[in-house]
Amino acid sequence: YGDVIATFQSLTPSQLAVMMVGVLAAWLVSGAMFPILMGHLSLIRGTQSYLILSGIGASVPMGPWNMGVLWVVLRGWGVPNKPATSGMALYGVVNQLNRLLTPLIALVAVYLAGGTGEGYDVARFLAWLSAAIFVIATGVLVAVVRSDRTADWVAATGNRVAGWVARRLNRPAPHLEGAIRGFRDQLGEVVRERGLRAMVVGTLGQLVWCGVLIMALRTVGIPDEVLSPVQVLAVFALTSAITIIPIAPGGAGIPELLYIAGLTTIAGPSYEALVTAAVMLFRMFQWFLPIPIAWVLLKVVRRGKPTLPTTGELRVYARGDAA
């Protein structure tokens, strides 16, 4: 801990300013997803949307509550009900697919770099696994959008699985036919018209955030010879895929452990303190900083209303009325 604190104390304002430039670029690219998916937002409001979604998700441990909060903000900005609803739903789908696609990009990068050794072997295996899941998930999404027969098959299969789980838990079985049909009706056109652009921008956002992690490693003094960009990308991609399961609010704690373990395995135990400092610096910008920004943005954009939306407000917007 003393070494990590000493590393933070040695950082200069200019180093932190350079880091902040990289973070701003990552926020802008990540926020560009929202104008693409909804078509009713500027890049600035898209960036604000990303910060609200990230900051509330990291500070309110109540499942996808952050998506509901952002949906109300979008409706308050004048985004119609259907684009706001379908855009938020597709954002969740595309975001997960991007995180599964990143290991495939890392896999290609590792092979092009000619990496060898145990660390690269593990990275290759997990990247192949994530890539297979990505191909299956993308295939199902496209098939559901394009084919009534496939949509019905997915719904029937999902009903059987959900019914089996519900019986074991003594819960009523859900009926997924309506949900699948609703998904098609709301998202089909958006997937066909904007899905590819959203995937490209989302994947670019993942790579920009990886670049911020590399900047943090260089800022604390870890050279390219110890941790190359390709090695960092491999660890970043695997962490993105593993943390799809929301174990903690905003992923707090889990990514840090994975980053530190993976990067230290490659760099060696002598760099553990510097790796830890770099990871904490990266997460300070990626995870912690959006929290206060999100609450300030909510105060500003919801001036005269409760900071968090009420149940009544949700109902009003869901009916398509003005609030």
Side-chain angles (χ1 to χ4, degrees), residues 14-131:
S14 60
Q15 288 177 315
L16 293 175
V18 171
M19 280 287 301
M20 195 63 226
V21 171
V23 171
L24 289 173
W27 287 348
L28 287 170
V29 175
S30 299
M33 284 271 287
F34 294 95
I36 290 174
L37 292 175
M38 299 175 195
H40 293 77
L41 293 176
S42 65
L43 180 58
I44 296 300
R45 282 195 166 173
T47 303
Q48 292 175 338
S49 299
Y50 171 78
L51 289 169
I52 291 172
L53 191 70
S54 300
I56 300 302
S59 55
V60 180
M62 298 175 63
W65 176 247
N66 57 331
M67 299 187 76
V69 171
L70 179 56
W71 180 82
V72 171
V73 171
L74 293 170
R75 297 287 285 116
W77 281 338
V79 179
N81 195 353
K82 184 176 178 180
T85 304
S86 60
M88 286 304 303
L90 189 57
Y91 175 84
V93 173
V94 171
N95 185 48
Q96 304 308 317
L97 292 177
N98 287 143
R99 294 171 71 171
L100 288 171
L101 178 60
T102 308
L104 180 59
I105 297 174
L107 179 65
V108 173
V110 167
Y111 274 109
L112 291 177
T116 59
E118 182 180 352
Y120 280 107
D121 291 339
V122 175
R124 272 191 289 269
F125 169 74
L126 292 178
W128 275 115
L129 179 62
S130 297

Side-chain angles (χ1 to χ4, degrees), residues 29-298:
V29 175
S30 299
M33 284 271 287
F34 294 95
I36 290 174
L37 292 175
M38 299 175 195
H40 293 77
L41 293 176
S42 65
L43 180 58
I44 296 300
R45 282 195 166 173
T47 303
Q48 292 175 338
S49 299
Y50 171 78
L51 289 169
I52 291 172
L53 191 70
S54 300
I56 300 302
S59 55
V60 180
M62 298 175 63
W65 176 247
N66 57 331
M67 299 187 76
V69 171
L70 179 56
W71 180 82
V72 171
V73 171
L74 293 170
R75 297 287 285 116
W77 281 338
V79 179
N81 195 353
K82 184 176 178 180
T85 304
S86 60
M88 286 304 303
L90 189 57
Y91 175 84
V93 173
V94 171
N95 185 48
Q96 304 308 317
L97 292 177
N98 287 143
R99 294 171 71 171
L100 288 171
L101 178 60
T102 308
L104 180 59
I105 297 174
L107 179 65
V108 173
V110 167
Y111 274 109
L112 291 177
T116 59
E118 182 180 352
Y120 280 107
D121 291 339
V122 175
R124 272 191 289 269
F125 169 74
L126 292 178
W128 275 115
L129 179 62
S130 297
I133 298 173
F134 165 77
V135 171
I136 294 171
T138 303
V140 170
L141 173 65
V142 173
V144 166
V145 169
R146 291 181 174 273
S147 169
D148 289 336
R149 189 173 181 179
T150 302
D152 292 339
W153 179 85
V154 170
T157 303
N159 271 335
R160 286 195 294 271
V161 174
W164 181 85
V165 173
R167 286 192 297 273
R168 297 298 183 277
L169 298 176
N170 294 321
R171 300 285 183 87
H175 298 284
L176 302 181
E177 290 91 346
I180 294 295
R181 290 289 183 176
F183 174 86
R184 284 200 60 194
D185 294 341
Q186 284 197 327
L187 300 187
E189 182 180 351
V190 180
V191 169
R192 287 190 292 269
E193 294 183 356
R194 306 174 187 174
L196 180 59
R197 281 185 293 159
M199 282 293 297
V200 171
V201 172
T203 302
L204 179 60
Q206 288 281 302
L207 297 178
V208 174
W209 276 116
C210 180
V212 176
L213 176 57
I214 294 171
M215 290 175 63
L217 292 164
R218 301 295 179 258
T219 297
V220 302
I222 300 178
D224 184 272
E225 296 76 21
V226 175
L227 278 170
S228 70
V230 170
Q231 291 170 322
V232 177
L233 175 60
V235 175
F236 177 87
L238 298 177
T239 302
S240 294
I242 291 171
T243 52
I244 284 178
I245 301 174
I247 301 172
I254 308 302
E256 290 84 350
L257 293 175
L258 293 172
Y259 284 131
I260 293 170
L263 295 172
T264 302
T265 298
I266 297 173
S270 61
Y271 283 91
E272 184 176 10
L274 288 179
V275 166
T276 303
V279 169
M280 299 310 293
L281 178 64
F282 169 69
R283 290 291 284 169
M284 180 180 73
F285 284 106
Q286 186 196 40
W287 181 81
F288 176 74
L289 190 55
I291 294 176
I293 293 177
W295 289 100
V296 171
L297 284 174
L298 281 178

